[in-house]
C-alpha cells in the first residue's frame, strides 16, 4: 500500500519516555499528527475517550477485527490495541505525515503493509535506569514493575529490526534525534518529489 504522506512508527518498552518524546516532537512539528488507537484497556487518570485512545470493549474490538477495520492490532500487557484504517488512511492520502506510537508487534505488521514506513525504536540508556524510571512513577506495584522489566527485555530484543534507534539518556537530545529522523525522511528523493513537484517538473526530474 502506498500513500503520499510519510509514516513514522515509534516503539519502546514501558518507562522509556516514549509518550513524552512523541508529544514533544508533535509540539515542534505542526505537519505531524499522531494516530489515536483503539484499546480494550480502561482509561487511566485524566485520559479521555477520543484523545489518548478510543476505549472500547473486547467485543467491540473483536467486531472491528472481523470487519477488517485495523491495519494492525496486538495484545500488549493483557489488553488489545489496534490502529484503525480510519485513523490514518485519510491523512496519509492527503499527504500529511502520521506518527504511530505502538508496540513492536504492531510496528512490524505496519512495515509489512507499508515497506516505506520508518520504524524508530527508543531504548533506555541501561536496565538500571529503566528500573529506576519505572520505580519513580510511583503508581506501579513491585510485581507489575518486575513484569514490565521482563517484557522490556523481550521488547528490546526486537530493536534490531527497526530502521533507527534513539537512546533516551538525555530528553532534549532524544527529541533532537527524533526531529532529525523526521527531517531526513522528508528530504528523501521520493518525498521531495511528492512535496516539491513544481521544482522537480521545472528541472525535468522524473
Ligand atoms: P499503554 O496502555 O501504556 O498506553 O500502552 C501499552 C503499549 O501498547 C504501549 O507500548 C503502546 O505504544 C502500545 N500501543 C498503543 N496503541 C497501540 C496500537 O494501536 N497498536 C499496537 N500494536 N500497540 C499499541
Amino acid at each position: 500500500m502506498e500513500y503520499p504522506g510519510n509514516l513514522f512508527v515509534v516503539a519502546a518498552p514501558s518507562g522509556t519516555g516514549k509518550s513524552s518524546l512523541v508529544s514533544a516532537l508533535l509540539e515542534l512539528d505542526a505537519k505531524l499528527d499522531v494516530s489515536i488507537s483503539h484499546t480494550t484497556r480502561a482509561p487511566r487518570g485524566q485520559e479521555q475517550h477520543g484523545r489518548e485512545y478510543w476505549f472500547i470493549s473486547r467485543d467491540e474490538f473483536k467486531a472491528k477485527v472481523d470487519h477488517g477495520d485495523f491495519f494492525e492490532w496486538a495484545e500488549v500487557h493483557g489488553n488489545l490495541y489496534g490502529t484503525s484504517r480510519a485513523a490514518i488512511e485519510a491523512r496519509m492520502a492527503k499527504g500529511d505525515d502520521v506518527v504511530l506510537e505502538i508496540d513492536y508487534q504492531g510496528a512490524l505488521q505496519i512495515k509489512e503493509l507499508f515497506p516505506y514506513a520508518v520504524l524508530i525504536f527508543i531504548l533506555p540508556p541501561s536496565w538500571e535506569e529503566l528500573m529506576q524510571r519505572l520505580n519513580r512513577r510511583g503508581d506501579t506495584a513491585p510485581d507489575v514493575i518486575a513484569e514490565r522489566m521482563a517484557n522490556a527485555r523481550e521488547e528490546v530484543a526486537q530493536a534490531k529490526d527497526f530502521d533507527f534507534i534513539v537512546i533516551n539518556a538525555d530528553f532534549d537530545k532524544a527529541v533532537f534525534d527524533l526531529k532529525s529522523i523526521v527531517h531526513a525522511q522528508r528530504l528523501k528523493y521520493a518525498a521531495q518529489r511528492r512535496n516539491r513537484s513544481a521544482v522537480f517538473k521545472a528541472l525535468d526530474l522524473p
Side-chain angles (χ1 to χ4, degrees), residues 6-12 18 22 72 98-123 155 158-166 177-178 181-182 185 188:
N6 292 303
L7 183 56
F8 300 96
V9 185
V10 184
K18 174 171 66 166
V22 170
E72 65 74 32
V98 174
V99 184
L100 305 183
E101 200 192 313
I102 61 180
D103 90 310
Y104 76 88
Q105 306 169 78
L108 298 177
Q109 292 178 55
I110 289 287
K111 191 76 177 181
E112 291 277 311
L113 274 180
F114 304 98
Y116 61 89
V118 179
L119 265 50
I120 306 166
F121 202 96
I122 300 175
L123 290 175
E155 289 161 41
Q158 313 299 321
K160 61 180 183 345
D161 294 323
F162 282 61
D163 300 307
F164 291 97
I165 299 298
V166 170
D177 288 348
L178 281 176
I181 295 166
V182 170
Q185 176 65 16
K188 283 197 173 156

Side-chain angles (χ1 to χ4, degrees), residues 182-192:
V182 170
H183 190 61
Q185 176 65 16
R186 287 178 178 153
L187 296 180
K188 283 197 173 156
Y189 187 95
Q192 289 281 52

Side-chain angles (χ1 to χ4, degrees), residues 12 18 37 41 44 53 72 74 76 81-83 101-103 106:
K18 174 171 66 166
S37 296
R41 85 149 162 76
R44 285 194 297 246
Y53 285 106
E72 65 74 32
V76 189
Y81 295 84
T83 306
E101 200 192 313
I102 61 180
D103 90 310

Side-chain angles (χ1 to χ4, degrees), residues 52-77:
E52 283 80 11
Y53 285 106
W54 299 105
F55 296 98
I56 58 175
S57 69
R58 256 186 130 81
D59 284 347
E60 286 171 312
F61 196 100
K62 288 200 173 127
K64 283 185 167 295
V65 171
D66 292 345
H67 202 241
D69 288 351
F70 292 124
F71 275 133
E72 65 74 32
W73 66 274
E75 180 153 0
V76 189
H77 311 317

Side-chain angles (χ1 to χ4, degrees), residues 3-6 31 89-97 194-195:
Y3 294 103
N6 292 303
K31 283 190 285 180
E89 207 165 30
R91 267 181 276 167
M92 282 173 52
K94 260 201 322 182
D96 292 346
D97 293 345
R194 259 171 359 231
N195 294 321

